Amino acid sequence: MSNGPFSAIVSDIDGTLLTRVNGNISPRLKAAVAEVTNRGIPFSISTGRMRRSAWIVHQEIGANATMICYQGAMAVDAETNTLLKHERLDEATAAEAIHFFKSRELDIRVYVDDDVFVSHQDEEDFDYAQRNHAKLVKVDDLFPLANREPTVVLGISPPNEMAEHVHDIARLLGSAAEVTHSLPHFCEVGSPRAGKVRALQWLAERHGLEPSDYITFGDGLGDLEMVRWAGRGYAVGNAHPMVIDAAHDHIPGPDSEGVAIELERLNGSGMLTRQD
C-alpha cells in the first residue's frame, strides 16, 4: 500500500457507493465526488453491472473518467458513452458456459450488446430488468447466442450452492474465461481478457499512471484484486472477509456514508493531487 499522494479514484457501485436495497445516491456522496472532480482528479466507477445500468449511475454521481462495466469486459468514454474497449467471449467458451449452467439447472442470463437474453422470465428477471433499465429478451434456446460472442454468460443459483458451481466452472474453462463470483448467488463468465484489474491496468497505461497512483473502493470478491492492486484499497461496509484482509482500511458502508466521509477526509488531507 502507498501513502500517497494519489491521482485517481475508482469505485465499485453496489454495496460500495449504493446499497443493494434501494440504490439511492446520497447528496453527501454527490458533493464529495464533485469536490474530487472539480479539482481535476479522475473518478471512475468499475462494476459488474451492464453498460446501460452503470451509465445511469455514472451520470448521476458525477463521475468524470472512463467507466468500467461487465466486470472489466467493457470500458466506456466518460463523456460520450462510446465504447473504448470490449472483450467478448469466444463462441466455444460461451456455448460451454451455457451448457454447464443448463446441466446444473441454474437460471441463465446471456448478455449480448447490452441486451439480456433469458429462456424463461420470472419475477426476479422482471425486477432486475426494471431496476437496471434493461431490455429483457426471451428465447426458446440460448445456445445460438454463443455465436454472437456474448459479453457475459451469467448463472444464478441459491447462495449456499454457488461456491461449488463457481469452483467447477472455473476448473472446466481454465484460461479460456474470467470467472467472477461477484454476489453470493451470481457466477459471471466473461472473456479471459476481462476482470477489473486488467481493465484498470489498461486504463492506467492509457493515462500514464501507476497502480500506486490509484485509490479503489470495493466490497465483493469481484473487487478483491482491484483493492489489492491499488496504491490504497478500501473495503466498504459488509465486504467479503478476503477483501477486508486485502484492504488498507475497512470503512462503513453506503448507509453510513463511508465512501463520502473518506473522500472528504482525503480532500482535506492533501493526499489527492492532479497529475498533469
Side-chain angles (χ1 to χ4, degrees):
M1 293 290 179
S2 169
N3 291 320
F6 304 100
S7 304
I9 299 172
V10 179
S11 180
D12 174 52
I13 295 178
D14 297 295
T16 302
L17 296 177
L18 281 66
T19 65
R20 293 195 176 100
V21 177
N22 56 36
N24 290 331
I25 300 173
S26 74
R28 184 173 185 177
L29 179 57
K30 288 184 184 179
V33 172
E35 187 176 358
V36 168
T37 58
N38 287 341
R39 295 177 56 197
I41 305 294
F43 186 99
S44 296
I45 60 172
S46 178
T47 178
R49 287 195 187 199
M50 59 191 302
R51 177 184 180 184
R52 187 179 294 112
S53 173
W55 183 254
I56 292 169
V57 178
H58 169 93
Q59 290 185 301
E60 187 175 351
I61 205 167
N64 66 338
T66 303
M67 182 181 79
I68 297 167
C69 50
Y70 285 114
Q71 300 294 359
M74 190 178 286
V76 179
D77 183 85
E79 295 183 0
T80 64
N81 193 17
T82 54
L83 280 177
L84 301 173
K85 183 173 182 284
H86 188 188
E87 304 293 355
R88 297 174 179 267
L89 280 165
D90 65 70
E91 180 178 353
T93 305
E96 198 164 9
I98 293 169
H99 176 76
F100 175 90
F101 290 141
K102 188 176 178 65
S103 71
R104 297 289 178 98
E105 299 183 341
L106 273 62
D107 289 337
I108 306 170
R109 295 177 188 153
V110 180
Y111 294 78
V112 180
D113 298 327
D114 223 33
D115 291 331
V116 187
F117 292 84
V118 296
S119 58
H120 72 280
Q121 295 176 343
D122 57 23
E123 186 175 348
E124 182 179 349
D125 289 315
F126 283 117
D127 287 345
Y128 172 85
Q130 184 175 21
R131 188 170 63 251
N132 290 281
H133 304 270
K135 180 182 178 182
L136 204 63
V137 183
K138 184 178 180 298
V139 295
D140 293 330
D141 186 3
L142 294 172
F143 281 103
L145 294 166
N147 66 19
R148 295 181 60 182
E149 298 186 329
T151 306
V152 168
V153 176
L154 171 69
I156 305 171
S157 81
N160 63 330
E161 300 174 7
M162 184 52 88
E164 180 180 353
H165 299 316
V166 170
H167 174 269
D168 290 348
I169 195 170
R171 184 174 59 181
L172 173 70
L173 299 178
S175 61
E178 175 82 7
V179 177
T180 306
H181 184 26
S182 64
L183 294 176
H185 58 303
F186 275 11
C187 176
E188 297 109 318
V189 177
S191 164
R193 297 172 300 280
K196 289 187 176 183
V197 163
R198 291 185 184 91
L200 288 183
Q201 289 171 336
W202 171 85
L203 187 62
E205 290 172 6
R206 182 179 172 89
H207 294 291
L209 298 175
E210 300 293 333
S212 59
D213 295 318
Y214 279 83
I215 287 173
T216 58
F217 296 95
D219 72 308
L221 281 174
D223 304 317
L224 176 60
E225 295 306 319
M226 180 175 84
V227 167
R228 282 179 174 159
W229 174 86
R232 178 167 294 184
Y234 290 90
V236 181
N238 296 321
H240 191 281
M242 291 177 65
V243 179
I244 294 173
D245 288 345
H248 167 82
D249 197 5
H250 183 198
I251 62 176
D255 285 335
S256 300
E257 303 278 17
V259 173
I261 292 169
E262 189 62 17
L263 289 177
E264 291 167 356
R265 189 190 73 78
L266 291 166
N267 270 314
S269 68
M271 295 182 70
L272 298 176
T273 60
R274 177 176 176 176
Q275 187 170 99
D276 296 317

